[in-house]
Amino acid sequence: MPNIQEIAASAKESANKLGIKKFDIYGSAVDSTSVQVDQGEPKQVKATNLSGVTVRVWNQDNTMGVTSTTDVDPKGLELALKTAFEASTFGVKENVPDFSPEAKAELNNGTSHEKIDQAPVTSLIDSLLDAEKEVLASHEAIKGVPYNSLSQRDVDRFYLNSDGAMRAESHSLASVFLYSKTEEEGKKPRSAGAFRMSYGVKDLDIDGCIKETAEKTISHLNYRKIPTGKYMVVFSPDAFLSLLGAFSNLFNAQSILDKQSLSTPDDIGSEIASPLLSLYDDALHSANIGAETFDGEGTPTRQISLIENGVLKNFLHSAGTAKRMNAQPTGNANIGAKVTIGPNFYHVFASKAPEKQLSLETAENVVFVDDVQALHAGVRALQGSFSLPFDGWLINKGEKTSIDSATIAGDFRELLKSIVFVEKEGELTPGGVCPRIWVEGLSITGE
C-alpha cells in the first residue's frame, strides 16, 4: 500500500479533477500468516495480504455516496471517488454522516508499538507441532488437538479527509490457540482450550497456553451431572466478556437511536448494575495488544466510562450519533456502506472493596462457568434473556468436579444487578481485561 502522503496527494488531485469538494478516505492493510497442524503433520499454511479503502464523497446538496476498493493507485482512487460521487445523488437526506469534529484533534497518548519482523513459516510450524506434542503427552486420554492455530499479522491503518485531517498507524500481533479432545471408553469426549496473544511470536506464552489447555482438559475427565436449580455462579473473565459483548446494544448509541437496544437515551445516570461493578471501554489500556489510536472516522480513541459504581455513565458514539444526542464522539465508529459502532477494549474492575470477600478455596457448591457457547442461538439481545450451554465445574471448598452438559439461563440486566463479588485480579482476554465475577441465584439446568 502506498504511504498516506502519496494517497492524500492522489486523492486531492483526482477530487479537483472531478470537481469534488468534500470527501474522506479510510483504509487498512493486513499482512498475516497462520499455520495449523494435525497429529504431528502440518495441516494448513495460510498467508494473506488484504488491503482496502472506503471512500465517502459529499455533493453540493450535502448527500453522501460510499464506495470501497482494493486499488489505491491513482487510477483506482480516481475511479472510487467518481463512483462515490455518482452514488451521492441517491444518498440519504436525513441524518447525513459528516466529518468527525475531532478528525484533526491531537491523538491521545497510548502505548506505541512498532511493527515486529514476522517469523519464518517453518518456525511457526515447528512451534505449533511441539505444542501439539506436549498437549498429547500430558495425559493418555487426550487423543487430539483438533483445533489449533499459530498466527502473526501486521496491520497498517490510515484516515484522511478533504479538510486536512491525516492520520496513520501500524502495529503487529501474534496469537496461539489450542483446543484438545479426549477419548475414553464408556465416557463422553471432553475438550477444553486456551488462547494467548502478544506483539510478536517471540513473546508468545506458548508454554502457558499448553499448560492451561492440558490442565483444563484433564480436569473435565471425571464429570458428573448437576441437579437443576439456582446456584451461586462464578464467571471466568472470558465467559463474562462474551455475555457483555452479546448485549453490547446496552451502550451502542446507534442501536439506541434505532430502538434496537435495552437502553434508552434517558437511562444515563440510572443504576443498571451492582455498585461493586465498574466498566470502561478503554482502547488505550496498557494491556490492549494492537491498540488503535483513532477510529474509522479519524476520531481519537480514549477511555470511556460506561458503568461507574453500577451507574450507567455514557454510551459509545460515532460523530453522527453524538450530534443527534448532544454528546461527544467516543472513537468507536467503523465506516463502510454505513457507519456502525462497536466497543474497542473492555476493562471490567471492582468499584470498591466488598463487605465480604469470597474465594473458590472456601466456597461451597459454586458453579464456575469457564466458557459459554452457542451465543448466536441462545441470546435474545433485545429481550435481555439468554439460555446457553457452558463448560465449567462444580466447586466445593476448592475441589473441582467437571459438569456434564448443562445450560445457564437468565436475564442479563438482572445478572448485572445480582453481582455479589468482583475479584481484584484482572485477566487479559481477546475482548478486554476482566476479573472473575460472582453472581447470585442464576438458573442452571442439568440433564
Side-chain angles (χ1 to χ4, degrees):
M1 180 178 278
N3 66 44
I4 187 172
Q5 285 79 15
E6 293 172 350
I7 294 171
S10 295
K12 191 172 182 180
E13 183 180 339
S14 297
N16 288 336
K17 182 178 172 182
L18 295 165
I20 294 170
K21 303 295 184 185
K22 184 175 179 180
F23 67 89
D24 69 359
I25 302 175
Y26 171 80
S28 65
V30 181
D31 184 7
S32 65
T33 309
S34 65
V35 300
Q36 295 177 9
V37 300
D38 184 28
Q39 298 294 337
E41 297 291 336
K43 180 183 178 183
Q44 185 181 74
V45 178
K46 185 164 62 174
T48 58
N49 192 315
L50 302 174
S51 62
V53 297
T54 298
V55 179
R56 303 191 298 180
V57 173
W58 288 257
N59 61 24
Q60 63 276 14
D61 297 323
N62 198 40
T63 57
M64 187 196 75
V66 185
T67 190
S68 298
T69 180
T70 58
D71 190 356
V72 290
D73 64 17
K75 286 186 177 179
L77 277 177
E78 182 176 341
L79 180 60
L81 285 163
K82 182 182 178 185
T83 304
F85 186 46
E86 291 170 350
S88 68
T89 305
F90 308 99
V92 296
K93 308 285 194 225
E94 295 181 356
N95 302 316
V96 180
D98 203 347
F99 292 163
S100 168
E102 299 186 21
K104 293 194 288 185
E106 185 176 348
L107 293 175
N108 299 311
N109 291 326
T111 305
S112 177
H113 292 278
E114 298 295 324
K115 285 198 289 189
I116 295 172
D117 291 338
Q118 292 203 354
V121 172
T122 51
S123 70
L124 298 183
I125 293 172
D126 290 343
S127 296
L128 195 54
L129 286 171
D130 289 343
E132 181 194 46
K133 185 177 179 181
E134 287 191 47
V135 173
L136 291 172
S138 62
H139 197 281
E140 59 184 10
I142 299 177
K143 300 300 183 184
V145 189
Y147 304 108
N148 59 76
S149 174
L150 178 56
S151 64
Q152 57 186 355
R153 60 179 171 169
D154 293 336
V155 180
D156 297 283
R157 306 169 64 243
F158 74 87
Y159 173 84
L160 61 89
N161 69 28
S162 55
D163 200 29
M166 191 180 299
R167 309 192 186 284
E169 66 181 1
S170 303
H171 61 260
S172 297
L173 352 136
S175 62
V176 60
F177 173 66
L178 300 170
Y179 190 85
S180 60
K181 188 176 181 180
T182 67
E183 291 179 16
E184 287 186 298
E185 190 173 347
K187 287 191 172 184
K188 295 179 182 179
R190 307 296 282 171
S191 54
F195 180 87
R196 294 289 188 278
M197 53 188 174
S198 71
Y199 298 104
V201 173
K202 286 184 179 179
D203 301 321
L204 266 180
D205 182 17
I206 298 178
D207 289 340
C209 191
I210 293 167
K211 184 179 179 184
E212 183 181 344
T213 301
E215 287 179 351
K216 279 186 180 179
T217 309
I218 293 167
S219 73
H220 282 306
L221 289 174
N222 296 315
Y223 58 87
R224 68 179 177 85
K225 292 179 172 59
I226 185 172
T228 295
K230 289 190 177 289
Y231 291 83
M232 175 80 80
V233 172
V234 182
F235 286 97
S236 73
D238 195 49
F240 185 76
L241 289 181
S242 293
L243 271 180
L244 192 62
F247 293 100
S248 61
N249 66 43
L250 269 168
F251 317 110
N252 189 313
Q254 188 61 61
S255 298
I256 292 164
L257 289 169
D258 293 341
K259 294 182 170 52
Q260 298 292 306
S261 172
L262 295 173
S263 300
T264 70
D266 298 328
D267 285 343
I268 294 291
S270 61
E271 188 172 315
I272 67 165
S274 161
L276 299 173
L277 183 79
S278 287
L279 165 68
Y280 290 169
D281 180 64
D282 191 359
L284 304 179
H285 192 285
S286 59
N288 185 9
I289 295 166
E292 297 177 345
T293 57
F294 59 91
D295 70 1
E297 296 180 315
T299 303
T301 56
R302 66 203 72 183
Q303 182 188 87
I304 302 295
S305 172
L306 297 175
I307 299 175
E308 198 88 49
N309 302 327
V311 176
L312 181 64
K313 289 292 187 179
N314 291 287
F315 298 131
L316 301 179
H317 285 283
S318 64
T321 62
K323 184 178 180 180
R324 293 172 65 185
M325 297 178 72
N326 195 27
Q328 291 295 314
T330 58
N332 294 85
N334 309 292
I335 68 169
K338 65 177 183 177
V339 178
T340 59
I341 296 170
N344 288 316
F345 186 84
Y346 285 130
H347 178 205
V348 180
F349 59 97
S351 304
K352 58 183 179 180
E355 296 178 4
K356 183 172 68 171
Q357 295 287 327
L358 298 174
S359 168
L360 291 176
E361 297 301 317
T362 56
E364 298 181 12
N365 292 321
V366 166
V367 171
F368 184 88
V369 175
D370 184 51
D371 178 44
V372 289
Q373 299 153 4
L375 288 159
H376 64 286
V379 167
R380 294 183 179 273
L382 298 183
Q383 282 76 46
S385 62
F386 61 91
S387 179
L388 303 166
F390 69 92
D391 288 334
W393 301 269
L394 184 66
I395 300 181
N396 189 32
K397 296 182 179 178
E399 184 178 335
K400 296 166 69 174
T401 304
S402 180
I403 296 172
D404 198 357
S405 53
T407 59
I408 183 167
D411 181 276
F412 187 67
R413 290 164 294 188
E414 290 179 10
L415 182 154
L416 290 176
K417 290 185 176 181
S418 301
I419 292 171
V420 293
F421 186 55
V422 178
E423 295 193 8
K424 187 176 180 181
E425 293 299 320
E427 180 182 315
L428 177 64
T429 77
V433 169
C434 180
R436 292 187 292 210
I437 307 290
W438 294 59
V439 183
E440 194 170 36
L442 280 178
S443 296
I444 306 286
T445 303
E447 282 193 337

